Amino acid sequence: MATSAGLDDSRFIISGGPVPQNVTEGHGSLGAYLRNRMRLNGNDVGLIDGVFGTELRYLELLEQTVRLAECLRTLADVRVGDVVGIVSENRLEFPAALFASIFLGATVAPINLTYSERELDHAFNLSKPKVIFVSPFSADRVVAVARQNRHIVQRVILFGEENPFGSDVQLLEEFQKPVSFVNPMNFYIPPVDVDNHVALIMCSSGTTGLPKGVQLTHYNLMASIALLNFARERDEVPSGESSELLEPPPGGIVLLGVLPWFHAYGCMTLINVVCNKQLLVSLPKFEEGLFLSCIENYRCTMVFVVPPLVVFLAKHPLIESYDLSSVDTLLCGAAPLSKETEDLVKKRLKVKHVRQGYGMSETTLATLVQSGEGHKSGSVGIVQVGTLAKVIDPNTGKALGPNQHGELCFKGSQIMKGYIGNEAATKETIDADGWLHTGDIGYYDEDHEFFIVDRLKELIKYKAYQVPPAELEAILLTNPKIKDAAVIGLPDESAGELPLAFVVKQEGVDMSEAEIKKYVADRTSPAKRLHGGVRFIAEIPKNLSGKILRRELRALLQKPKSKL
């Protein structure tokens, strides 16, 4: 890794201001913090299942949480430092499982429910969950992999009403039967070392293949939550949210979220909503009619989106059939949003604000946020409170001044503890001075607004999912008919980028594009499939050290598609 900035570079370090005082509010753990927030929120509705219309009040959630926590402690022997996995779509059982585990001082590993068995096996061996909660959607795969890893997974608990798997899997309600009620305020929540104790292990894809486990501490999460309250006091806007949060609309703030809770953006949205007494209408996945009818029926004022959803709202003819006039703000993250799409959606929906920010799993949530009314088009905002930022020359590590392109680096209260079980990757990402190197290229202007230009990392952003080319290349190379392969992102307005493979066939073999796409699809989750197709070429361009020259492959996209 390049060296960190010296004293001479300190003038080019941009500060978002000091960390808010009393981030923990005197609590000895995130669990105690969450319990107090849910108690104070009282009998207000906090979550609504957008599919079934089921409402969950804060005190109901608190009671469900402590009951489940007691069951995990007494029946599954979950203790401080154990890991609990959750493999589920967004559903009302998810937050109770999440918070119950945190109450006990256990670490929670939310895992992508679309993972293939190969990917699940990797995730389980990465985080080593003692207990796994699973929804019916992914239960076949999860149970199969859990049975192969009995040395790790001791218990599988199934959401829903039917259990086709036998005695080694328990329905949630059966698991909870021995405990009918626990007084939330009498429940013992053990204190932890908030600075170092890991609350969440989020899967984050890297350029070298399968996901790494991002460790976020209790303090990371409490600092992220505290930013909203602190911003109200300073009349600033955290995490891409609009200044209308300071003066809620007459009907109150109603948020619509379709972002999966196993994703860092979605999970932190859920936690922030519960801690800041907001109302979240949640959907398990994006379905056009259901998404739009939820906005109309619940009069949603803010919608959490990723760029493909903004394209849908800006262009789809179905929009005209629904009343979306309640929407004041679109909160967009996970991938860059073009100015053209932003302008289109503003004109069509008459929304006042389309807010963007920049963050990654390794930074808990956003480190750069748009606030106020005057942000520049194309920017991702200014440095978040409690954060330091700099742009460095990737080759020398020297901090750069305004309008100079370099690698974005951050330091502060939201930076991860490190990658679980991977000290080498941690040291490659966080230098000796505590600066996290993002691998993304950007710059800031004279007003300290930041802009993302490119990325050093080769991750493909498909519908806000991170797709590592190296993983797909490794899969392709296991096919005996394939001599060599490389994968890049094909630009796409709706999805962001589509994984596209360049393939060199073995001499004398017959192989079709469909055959290759199926080969990859059989071994990966949906986001990692070759949605951009396959191009057959004679040779993969590489430099002398063997590194794939992806820029040359991108240049080939301008040429007509190769014939089979």
Side-chain angles (χ1 to χ4, degrees), residues 372-545:
E373 301 300 321
H375 65 268
K376 299 181 180 71
S377 177
S379 89
V380 290
I382 60 175
V383 181
Q384 177 68 287
V385 175
T387 302
L388 298 174
K390 64 180 178 179
V391 176
I392 66 167
D393 183 313
N395 297 314
T396 66
K398 179 180 175 60
L400 304 174
N403 301 306
Q404 293 181 282
H405 293 191
E407 183 183 12
L408 299 177
C409 298
F410 298 100
K411 187 177 184 179
S413 58
Q414 294 191 100
I415 302 302
M416 69 168 179
K417 181 178 181 178
Y419 297 115
I420 189 169
N422 197 335
E423 187 176 346
T426 300
K427 288 182 177 179
E428 288 175 4
T429 304
I430 302 176
D431 67 26
D433 294 324
W435 286 96
L436 183 138
H437 294 241
T438 66
D440 288 324
I441 298 295
Y443 68 95
Y444 61 91
D445 65 12
E446 293 82 355
D447 299 316
H448 293 173
E449 284 199 61
F450 279 73
F451 300 78
I452 306 300
V453 176
D454 202 346
R455 55 182 177 268
L456 293 174
K457 297 179 181 179
E458 297 293 350
L459 288 175
I460 297 167
K461 283 290 186 76
Y462 172 76
K463 294 185 176 179
Y465 288 96
Q466 294 183 345
V467 179
E471 182 183 349
L472 299 186
E473 288 158 0
I475 291 172
L476 287 164
L477 291 174
T478 64
N479 190 310
K481 293 184 178 181
I482 294 176
K483 182 178 180 180
D484 203 357
V487 176
I488 65 171
L490 175 67
D492 180 81
E493 184 179 46
S494 296
E497 293 177 309
L498 304 174
L500 178 148
F502 286 89
V503 169
V504 180
K505 293 185 288 188
Q506 296 284 6
E507 292 182 12
V509 303
D510 184 30
M511 189 175 219
S512 68
E513 177 176 1
E515 182 181 352
I516 294 174
K517 291 175 74 172
K518 183 178 186 304
Y519 186 84
V520 172
D522 288 344
R523 291 160 175 79
T524 58
S525 48
K528 296 179 181 177
R529 294 169 187 172
L530 297 176
H531 302 283
V534 177
R535 300 281 184 98
F536 291 95
I537 56 177
E539 185 179 39
I540 302 295
K542 298 178 182 179
N543 65 14
L544 291 176
S545 64

Side-chain angles (χ1 to χ4, degrees), residues 102-320:
I102 291 173
F103 275 25
L104 295 174
T107 298
V108 181
I111 297 170
N112 187 332
L113 81 162
T114 70
Y115 273 176
S116 66
E117 289 191 18
R118 167 179 163 272
E119 292 163 318
L120 287 169
D121 183 74
H122 172 76
F124 291 175
N125 280 277
L126 198 64
S127 59
K128 296 180 169 52
K130 185 175 187 177
V131 176
I132 294 176
F133 290 94
V134 61
S135 75
F137 179 88
S138 54
D140 286 341
R141 283 170 283 124
V142 170
V143 171
V145 176
R147 286 170 174 167
Q148 296 166 12
N149 289 277
R150 294 181 189 273
H151 61 292
I152 298 173
V153 182
Q154 298 181 14
R155 191 181 293 258
V156 177
I157 301 171
L158 178 63
F159 298 151
E161 299 176 353
E162 296 182 3
N163 176 17
F165 299 104
S167 59
D168 60 342
V169 176
Q170 270 187 297
L171 286 172
L172 176 61
E173 275 311 305
E174 289 179 358
F175 175 66
Q176 295 186 113
K177 274 183 181 177
V179 178
S180 58
F181 175 78
V182 178
N183 187 321
M185 300 317 295
N186 291 339
F187 184 80
Y188 176 69
I189 297 178
V192 299
D193 176 359
V194 295
D195 291 319
N196 294 295
H197 194 73
V198 178
L200 295 176
I201 299 173
M202 309 300 301
C203 285
S204 177
S205 297
T207 58
T208 56
L210 288 163
K212 296 188 287 289
V214 176
Q215 299 179 102
L216 301 178
T217 67
H218 283 234
Y219 187 83
N220 287 151
L221 271 64
M222 285 192 277
S224 179
I225 296 161
L227 296 180
L228 180 55
N229 289 334
F230 186 70
R232 282 172 172 159
E233 295 172 6
R234 286 186 50 180
D235 193 22
E236 290 184 0
V237 183
S239 305
E241 296 181 358
S242 80
S243 56
E244 276 63 32
L245 285 175
L246 305 172
E247 295 182 11
I253 297 171
V254 182
L255 304 112
L256 177 62
V258 70
L259 305 169
W261 291 338
F262 60 72
H263 188 281
Y265 185 11
C267 191
M268 286 309 302
T269 295
L270 171 62
I271 293 171
N272 271 289
V273 162
V274 169
C275 287
N276 289 293
K277 198 178 180 180
Q278 295 170 339
L279 173 58
L280 175 65
V281 180
S282 180
L283 292 171
K285 62 179 180 178
F286 175 70
E287 294 180 1
E288 295 172 352
L290 185 58
F291 180 81
L292 296 172
S293 64
C294 278
I295 296 176
E296 181 178 78
N297 295 338
Y298 294 107
R299 306 302 297 158
C300 296
T301 59
M302 295 185 183
V303 184
F304 292 98
V305 293
V306 290
L309 279 182
V310 183
V311 173
F312 166 76
L313 290 170
K315 295 187 173 183
H316 202 285
L318 193 59
I319 303 299
E320 306 303 330

Side-chain angles (χ1 to χ4, degrees), residues 48-69:
I48 297 176
D49 184 315
V51 177
F52 300 105
T54 311
E55 297 181 350
L56 184 59
R57 299 177 183 273
Y58 284 109
L59 288 181
E60 288 178 320
L61 175 58
L62 180 55
E63 289 182 3
Q64 290 178 13
T65 297
V66 294
R67 180 190 178 200
L68 183 51

